[in-house]
Amino acid sequence: DGGITQSPKYLFRKEGQNVTLSCEQNLNHDAMYWYRQDPGQGLRLIYYSQIVNDFQKGDIAEGYSVSREKKESFPLTVTSAQKNPTAFYLCASSVLGAPNTGELFFGEGSRLTVL
Amino acid sequence: GENVEQHPSTLSVQEGDSAVIKCTYSDSASNYFPWYKQELGKGPQLIIDIRSNVGEKKDQRIAVTLNKTAKHFSLHITETQPEDSAVYFCAASIVGSARQLTFGSGTQLTVLP
């Protein structure tokens, strides 16, 4: 079955540590996205990539980094510079040109807790 | 940039009743309005969308209406069922632009048996 796989589902981190969240898709989509979800704040865009080896900052990119070395993979690193990293992180993908005209496909999310 | 406000933040209805969730947007250039449903422990899933060239769109028990003049759009769910319980997000964007979707803050819908 085609879809988006995020791992790990739950992650605990000590303050000052970097952590990398994995996102893999087998939908052959060109575009991939990372969103952060906090209670009462909806979905906020962290980074997105429309093509391999290229990515753009979203609304809340500070303290995060990404790479897009392969079409199917878009890992997100939450660095120690992110002041409030505890959140639910969602990865998504779409055909090029969406989501403005079509569908975003989401993974099941990764919940990061900083202790 | 675009700002999307969504109300209410929580909504409880009796099974079989209707539910309405409303969103307003700030940028009059926005012309694409999707709705996503997020079930517990899962990622959001597109359930219906509308473009600004139509005022209403229906798909079985769900419908979306758009008022471009007032810059608001609404999700209507009729004959609600327990499986409709979820968080619903509205969003807005401009077709063909580089601007990404702007999401509302979400509505937790609970359908009471």
Side-chain angles (χ1 to χ4, degrees):
Chain A
D1 284 319
I4 298 181
T5 302
Q6 290 187 240
S7 63
K9 203 172 181 67
Y10 300 96
L11 187 60
F12 297 89
R13 181 194 103 177
K14 293 183 180 179
E15 279 192 24
Q17 291 180 335
N18 292 354
V19 62
T20 297
L21 308 181
S22 170
C23 179
E24 303 277 332
Q25 56 101 357
N26 60 5
L27 299 168
N28 200 32
H29 285 164
D30 289 301
M32 297 187 73
Y33 312 80
W34 275 104
Y35 287 89
R36 171 177 171 145
Q37 183 175 11
D38 296 285
Q41 294 197 48
L43 305 176
R44 293 183 291 168
L45 184 64
I46 304 172
Y47 268 99
Y48 64 101
S49 168
Q50 296 179 313
I51 195 169
V52 172
N53 293 323
D54 189 43
F55 46 83
Q56 286 77 41
K57 293 182 179 180
D59 299 321
I60 56 166
E62 185 176 351
Y64 300 97
S65 66
V66 293
S67 63
R68 187 87 187 274
E69 297 177 1
K70 298 185 296 182
K71 183 176 182 178
E72 58 270 22
S73 179
F74 191 41
L76 173 74
T77 296
V78 184
T79 75
S80 56
Q82 168 50 233
K83 297 189 187 315
N84 185 20
T86 295
F88 189 57
Y89 292 89
L90 284 161
C91 179
S93 72
S94 72
V95 299
L96 205 59
N100 292 341
T101 58
E103 185 171 359
L104 274 176
F105 291 83
F106 284 89
E108 295 199 337
S110 293
R111 184 166 297 281
L112 172 63
T113 302
V114 175
L115 304 173
Chain B
E2 175 68 280
N3 182 46
V4 177
E5 295 192 355
Q6 183 172 347
H7 299 281
S9 57
T10 62
L11 178 61
S12 293
V13 299
Q14 290 294 136
E15 184 176 353
D17 288 350
S18 296
V20 180
I21 303 169
K22 299 180 180 180
C23 289
T24 60
Y25 59 100
S26 60
D27 188 349
S28 57
S30 291
N31 56 10
Y32 175 67
F33 307 95
W35 285 88
Y36 283 81
K37 174 184 180 182
Q38 184 179 28
E39 297 178 350
L40 192 62
K42 297 192 174 181
Q45 187 172 15
L46 180 70
I47 55 171
I48 195 167
D49 57 10
I50 190 169
R51 297 198 188 191
S52 60
N53 56 344
V54 296
E56 183 176 4
K57 184 177 179 180
K58 288 184 180 180
D59 183 3
Q60 299 183 334
R61 295 186 298 107
I62 61 173
V64 57
T65 58
L66 171 66
N67 184 325
K68 287 186 293 183
T69 304
K71 291 190 287 187
H72 68 70
F73 57 111
S74 300
L75 178 71
H76 304 255
I77 306 174
T78 59
E79 301 173 13
T80 53
Q81 300 168 5
E83 53 264 36
D84 295 328
S85 295
V87 179
Y88 291 82
F89 293 99
C90 63
S93 71
I94 301 173
V95 173
S97 80
R99 195 185 78 191
Q100 299 299 308
L101 278 175
T102 301
F103 283 88
S105 55
T107 297
Q108 172 69 63
L109 173 64
T110 303
V111 179
L112 305 169

